[in-house]
Amino acid sequence: MIELGVNVDHVATVRQARRTYEPDPVWAAVEAHLGGADGITVHLREDRRHIQDEDVRRLRELTHIKLNLEMAPTGEMIGIACRLKPEMAMLVPEGRHEVTTEGGLDIASREAGLKEAVARLAGAAIVVSVFIDPDPRQVEAAARIGASVCEVHTGPYAHAFHSRGRDEESAAVVAELDKIRAAGEAIRSLGMRFNAGHGLNYFNVEPVARLPGVRELHIGHAIVSRAVFVGMREAVREMKRLIVDAAHAAPG
Ligand code: PXP
């Protein structure tokens, strides 16, 4: 069964715009869960621009929702993860000047350090996911460092989908989707779990949900944006229905 992980960072973005206490991302997580989210993702950034340490701690202590802690593979973040023990840690590259995560982790160029990070997290019984571009070199490197999950970056696919007028059959969209499909096959053939995310929304999610073997989709911005108008529970319910129906209708 395909799962939906909801990223609630942007609820904290609104709160931080006023440096106040509302809206509360923990409350958003509970609402998302009631709408059908299978898990919650928060990205504790080094600059703490949205999610704060206290948010992660409260999510862990006040709820029983499966938590995916998105983080840069730094000593500080690994220490926090080992203390709070989320179900999953997702390693991403982090740039101070980026608006959002811009690309996958370049595992191939820094294998030794990442292998140590994965070992520390796995030693604390945390499932380790790595966010990678759909590139066979990165998939192989992910297996070598001991990751058990790869989240494939769907941003370029989402960009192609939007820029080609949401034409699912355009050559650019088909080419980007094929890269994700091939990466998914390689990930699974190496015994890792295949997740995907970034830039997915209510228009472009179905072809990704239909890919063979995809286990979880991680979606934030589109769901929080819709939640402003229809509420978090309903926004999640609509997304969950889209992905579950698409996965059911997929051949094989
Ligand atoms: N996956 C990763 C690794 C991300 O960094 C993000 C954005 O925080 C997402 C998924 C969700 O992306 P979006 O907000 O575009 O749905």
Side-chain angles (χ1 to χ4, degrees), residues 9-23 25 48-52:
D9 290 350
H10 291 312
V11 176
T13 301
V14 175
R15 179 192 61 194
Q16 295 309 108
R18 285 292 182 91
R19 304 255 183 282
T20 178
Y21 58 88
E22 63 181 1
R48 308 300 198 269
R49 69 172 72 156
H50 39 50
I51 292 292
Q52 306 296 304

Side-chain angles (χ1 to χ4, degrees), residues 49 109 122 129 195 204-206:
R49 69 172 72 156
S109 72
S129 170
N195 292 349
N204 66 23
V205 76
E206 288 165 294

Side-chain angles (χ1 to χ4, degrees), residues 9-233:
D9 290 350
H10 291 312
V11 176
T13 301
V14 175
R15 179 192 61 194
Q16 295 309 108
R18 285 292 182 91
R19 304 255 183 282
T20 178
Y21 58 88
E22 63 181 1
D24 182 353
V26 179
W27 189 343
V30 173
E31 286 291 317
H33 195 52
L34 292 171
D38 299 287
I40 292 294
T41 299
V42 286
H43 184 175
L44 186 64
R45 282 185 165 268
E46 291 184 275
D47 63 11
R48 308 300 198 269
R49 69 172 72 156
H50 39 50
I51 292 292
Q52 306 296 304
D53 299 61
E54 185 65 359
D55 296 324
V56 190
R57 189 191 63 72
R58 288 172 59 243
L59 260 174
R60 198 67 301 217
E61 288 178 7
L62 301 178
T63 80
H64 298 279
I65 307 169
K66 193 164 76 174
L67 179 63
N68 174 29
L69 183 62
E70 179 174 344
M71 55 186 248
T74 63
E76 182 201 11
M77 290 300 156
I78 291 166
I80 292 172
C82 289
R83 250 193 337 276
L84 293 177
K85 297 198 190 307
E87 277 70 24
M88 187 156 78
M90 175 163 60
L91 304 180
V92 295
E94 210 173 277
R96 281 289 154 98
H97 302 294
E98 68 190 5
V99 174
T100 179
T101 310
E102 284 173 351
L105 203 54
D106 184 4
I107 303 176
S109 72
R110 45 191 291 214
E111 275 190 37
L114 287 170
K115 191 169 183 171
E116 200 187 315
V118 172
R120 280 189 63 195
L121 291 162
I126 300 167
V127 172
V128 184
S129 170
V130 287
F131 182 60
I132 56 169
D133 293 327
D135 169 351
R137 281 175 50 246
Q138 300 297 345
V139 175
E140 285 157 20
R144 284 196 299 273
I145 63 166
S148 41
V149 185
C150 291
E151 175 167 322
V152 177
H153 188 4
T154 50
Y157 156 80
H159 179 73
F161 196 96
H162 183 72
S163 66
R164 298 300 189 282
R166 299 179 186 156
D167 177 4
E168 195 180 320
E169 286 164 16
S170 74
V173 173
V174 170
E176 291 299 341
L177 197 63
D178 280 347
K179 283 189 222 167
I180 301 168
R181 180 185 292 106
E185 279 163 15
I187 289 164
R188 292 196 301 143
S189 75
L190 289 169
M192 296 178 286
R193 210 191 302 166
F194 167 35
N195 292 349
H198 211 286
L200 297 178
N201 61 33
Y202 295 84
F203 299 108
N204 66 23
V205 76
E206 288 165 294
V208 178
R210 284 195 292 264
L211 290 176
V214 66
R215 296 276 294 274
E216 286 173 30
L217 300 183
H218 290 159
I219 307 178
H221 188 262
I223 291 176
V224 174
S225 301
R226 183 166 296 218
V228 169
F229 301 106
V230 304
M232 181 60 93
R233 225 181 276 195

